[in-house]
Amino acid sequence: MKLFKKLALFVIAIAISLGCTSPDSQKQPQTESQAKEPTPPSGKELAQKYIIVDGHIDVPYRLRNNWEDISDSTQSGDFDYPRAKEGGLDAPFMSIYIPVRYQETGGAKAVADSLINMVQGIANDHPKKFAIATSPEEIRQHVDEGLIALPTGMENGAPIGTDLSNIRYFYDRGIRYITLAHSRDNKISDSSYDTTEDTHNGLSDFGREVVQEMNRVGMMVDVSHITDEAFFDVMEVTQAPVVATHSSVRHFTPGFERNMSDTLITRLAENNGVIMINFGSTFLDSTSNKSSTRVRTEIEEKIEERGLEPGSKEAQEFSETYFEENFQYSTVEKAADHIDYVVELVGIEHVGLGSDYDGVGNTLPTGLKDVSSYPNLFDELLDRGYSEEDVQKIASGNIFRVWEQVNKVAEGMQNQ
């Protein structure tokens, strides 16, 4: 027996010397790269990985006043194809913006048609770069094909006039949301910018019918620009979630009704809607908001002091330079603060992106100067602890949820 034990010990010793030990010891040692934690994604990587929907970009009216080929790099503006691709922007809602003067002069419907025709023309002229989209499914399909999808929304319901059938008309033309009013009260709703009037104390009776018909045809109701009273009237009427396509948080800009208060955001979340954060500095920061008013007043005074003709090339050049040097710009970090605030108030499911590129002029914050900049915001969110799933919801998941629910409500109403 002792001889057997000695023999067994001898065999074990040989096995150890040859490296033939227990199954656990046979695992290969980790290399240095295997031992390291996975590298976290960058904002750039997530911008390219996930679909980005921007709720509001004012390209059509910009091009109406100053035509440029946005399929290539442009000298002005905040949007073109190369920059959109760089920033990962997949589906910019093209704003069919109707200036309020057409509420008085007439012709709003014709202007809307002309801008819709323009967007469709851009897609038709550049089929390897752009495609019209009227649903989340179409956006996903176009993105899979490497295209930038172009959904459209109408800013200002004036083209509806007093005829509810125009809602179906514009739906058939591809419009998927209507901002009920813009900078003046109209036949549908009071405007938060119109401080001289309070025409309807919220929505008009016709405006209530507009919201109901938008629900029925499957068009999102955009509550940006309207008064608080009008917002709550919408909440009483709508059967579907609503969206604020380019609004920010009033907490950071006290007294600026164009942004949404905590009460409004909370009610929006109860409706399962989404607020899409506007990137304009005056929307993000009360310091910038006050700075804008001060600097513009100074510009007017200095143009007069210098004897420049208002509107002249010299006056315009002076204005641009003076504004650039004296305006208090906000930052990408402040945009992230707005997202943080909404998330803490009502949850990650109720916030998205609505930059207002090409619509807020030269007030864009540092780090968010054009459509190539979304990765900067994503980097900031990642640094604050947001997950990939969180970023995906903000980039497109939340607005897709609202849009799809609006379609379901419409289908139910049409089947009644």
Side-chain angles (χ1 to χ4, degrees):
M1 180 67 67
K2 289 182 179 180
L3 179 63
F4 176 78
K5 287 182 178 180
K6 288 181 179 181
L7 181 61
L9 291 171
F10 177 71
V11 170
I12 291 171
I14 293 174
I16 291 173
S17 68
L18 294 174
C20 301
T21 55
S22 68
D24 284 344
S25 68
Q26 292 176 28
K27 293 178 182 178
Q28 294 298 316
Q30 286 186 321
T31 65
E32 185 178 347
S33 60
Q34 288 174 325
K36 288 181 178 178
E37 290 293 325
T39 303
S42 67
K44 182 74 171 179
E45 290 169 334
L46 295 191
Q48 298 300 325
K49 180 177 181 179
Y50 295 119
I51 293 174
I52 298 177
V53 177
D54 192 307
H56 192 91
I57 294 186
D58 277 294
V59 168
Y61 207 79
R62 161 195 158 195
L63 298 183
R64 189 173 192 259
N65 293 325
N66 181 29
W67 177 258
E68 294 181 287
D69 180 6
I70 60 168
S71 72
D72 204 346
S73 297
T74 58
Q75 297 300 312
S76 64
D78 309 323
F79 175 95
D80 56 40
Y81 179 83
R83 285 182 286 173
K85 278 294 188 180
E86 180 184 351
L89 176 60
D90 299 292
F93 263 95
M94 297 284 100
S95 171
I96 306 303
Y97 163 60
I98 312 300
V100 296
R101 64 178 179 273
Y102 293 104
Q103 297 172 193
E104 300 173 358
T105 64
K109 186 176 180 181
V111 173
D113 277 329
S114 71
L115 295 176
I116 294 170
N117 291 342
M118 178 195 293
V119 176
Q120 292 176 341
I122 291 169
N124 291 337
D125 290 344
H126 306 284
K128 295 183 179 181
K129 294 184 176 181
F130 300 110
I132 299 298
T134 60
S135 67
E137 293 77 14
E138 287 186 353
I139 290 174
R140 294 185 184 105
Q141 177 184 339
H142 295 326
V143 171
D144 286 344
E145 295 167 348
L147 304 174
I148 291 179
L150 299 179
T152 54
M154 182 185 295
E155 186 176 28
N156 189 352
I160 296 170
T162 57
D163 186 351
L164 285 177
S165 69
N166 280 325
I167 296 173
R168 167 59 69 175
Y169 170 82
F170 283 114
Y171 180 90
D172 290 342
R173 295 228 60 198
I175 296 294
R176 287 300 179 267
Y177 74 69
I178 295 177
T179 315
L180 301 180
H182 192 249
S183 57
R184 293 283 300 277
D185 299 353
N186 61 16
K187 291 181 172 63
I188 298 170
S189 174
D190 292 339
S191 164
S192 62
Y193 277 137
D194 194 343
T195 57
T196 61
E197 309 238 3
D198 198 4
T199 307
H200 313 293
N201 294 316
L203 288 184
S204 67
D205 291 340
F206 177 67
R208 291 172 179 269
E209 294 178 351
V210 166
V211 171
Q212 292 171 337
E213 182 65 6
M214 289 176 70
N215 285 171
R216 193 187 70 80
V217 304
M219 192 180 289
M220 290 180 283
V221 177
D222 180 15
V223 296
S224 295
H225 280 282
I226 64 176
T227 62
D228 292 3
E229 293 81 6
F231 170 86
F232 285 112
D233 286 347
V234 170
M235 291 295 100
E236 289 180 4
V237 174
T238 186
Q239 297 182 48
V242 305
V243 60
T245 65
H246 57 302
S247 296
S248 296
V249 178
R250 198 180 301 172
H251 170 82
F252 298 100
T253 57
F256 186 40
E257 190 179 5
R258 174 63 181 81
N259 277 344
M260 298 188 74
S261 69
D262 289 13
T263 303
L264 269 63
I265 295 170
T266 301
R267 184 67 184 87
L268 183 77
E270 291 170 355
N271 167 260
N272 204 26
V274 60
I275 174 175
M276 308 181 82
I277 301 301
N278 191 309
F279 292 173
S281 288
T282 59
F283 288 77
L284 298 178
D285 197 324
S286 60
T287 301
S288 299
N289 201 305
K290 295 173 183 176
S291 168
S292 176
T293 302
R294 173 182 58 78
V295 171
R296 294 185 193 283
T297 299
E298 292 172 358
I299 287 173
E300 291 180 5
E301 294 172 349
K302 291 182 181 301
I303 284 176
E304 184 176 358
E305 290 174 3
R306 285 163 170 74
L308 300 176
E309 182 67 27
S312 65
K313 181 180 178 180
E314 292 79 9
Q316 183 177 352
E317 290 175 351
F318 170 79
S319 298
E320 291 174 356
T321 300
Y322 190 88
F323 191 90
E324 179 76 23
E325 293 175 351
N326 293 277
F327 177 64
Q328 182 66 50
Y329 289 95
S330 192
T331 64
V332 64
E333 290 83 6
K334 197 68 176 181
D337 288 346
H338 283 248
I339 293 172
D340 277 350
Y341 194 88
V342 175
V343 171
E344 291 171 7
L345 183 65
V346 295
I348 190 68
E349 292 81 11
H350 304 289
V351 64
L353 308 175
S355 64
D356 212 351
Y357 280 131
D358 281 328
V360 290
N362 54 351
T363 70
L364 289 162
T366 56
L368 288 173
K369 289 299 185 183
D370 60 31
V371 294
S372 69
S373 303
Y374 300 97
N376 296 341
L377 179 57
F378 291 175
D379 276 329
E380 182 64 26
L381 295 177
L382 291 170
D383 287 345
R384 296 183 184 205
Y386 284 75
S387 68
E388 280 197 43
E389 182 184 3
D390 293 336
V391 172
Q392 188 274 333
K393 287 180 178 181
I394 294 167
S396 59
N398 292 337
I399 184 60
F400 278 170
R401 183 197 71 246
V402 170
W403 196 345
E404 288 163 351
Q405 184 61 33
V406 167
N407 289 339
K408 288 180 181 178
V409 169
E411 182 179 356
M413 294 177 72
Q414 292 168 20
N415 290 333
Q416 287 178 353

